[in-house]
Amino acid sequence: PKVANSPEILDAQAIGNSFYGLQNMQSDSAEVLNLLQVMAHKVALSCPELDGQAMGNSLYGLQGMSSDYPEVRAVVKALTTKLQTSGLEMNAQEMGNAIYGLQKMTS
């Protein structure tokens, strides 16, 4: 509830750090799913662009998540929207982190 009730607009670093911190969490937990739903909304309201590190860290943090859950898909959609609207260029490390984080996603 505290995250959902916070009026703070997250910057790129805060978004990247938030998702990076979830890297050992699993998406079969109700608490994690609730947080992901809130974070999807926070990402949508955030700064217009994420830098390569924020995007790489965000997706890397999703490595324990399954796209079988709508909350996970909402986060991926919010991040995808940010990616599509930016002129983001990612270096090899950032790209590697991003792709590694998507390993449990189904097509």
Side-chain angles (χ1 to χ4, degrees):
K2 288 186 178 186
V3 176
N5 294 332
S6 171
E8 294 296 318
I9 302 296
L10 302 179
D11 63 12
Q13 183 176 359
I15 290 169
N17 289 348
S18 296
F19 286 112
Y20 188 82
L22 294 176
Q23 64 186 284
N24 293 318
M25 302 288 178
Q26 303 295 314
S27 54
D28 58 357
S29 162
E31 293 83 1
V32 171
L33 292 174
N34 288 337
L35 180 58
L36 289 174
Q37 189 66 42
V38 170
M39 286 302 297
H41 182 68
K42 291 282 190 183
V43 169
L45 296 176
S46 73
C47 58
E49 292 189 12
L50 299 181
D51 60 21
Q53 183 174 0
M55 184 63 71
N57 286 351
S58 294
L59 293 171
Y60 183 84
L62 298 179
Q63 63 188 277
M65 309 295 166
S66 167
S67 59
D68 292 340
Y69 296 92
E71 296 87 351
V72 175
R73 292 191 304 271
V75 167
V76 173
K77 181 179 179 180
L79 290 171
T80 299
T81 299
K82 293 293 179 192
L83 182 61
Q84 290 172 333
T85 60
S86 72
L88 179 65
E89 292 188 23
M90 298 174 78
N91 66 32
Q93 180 67 52
E94 295 160 349
M95 184 65 72
N97 287 349
I99 293 170
Y100 186 83
L102 298 174
Q103 64 184 313
K104 288 195 176 181
M105 303 294 162
T106 58
S107 58

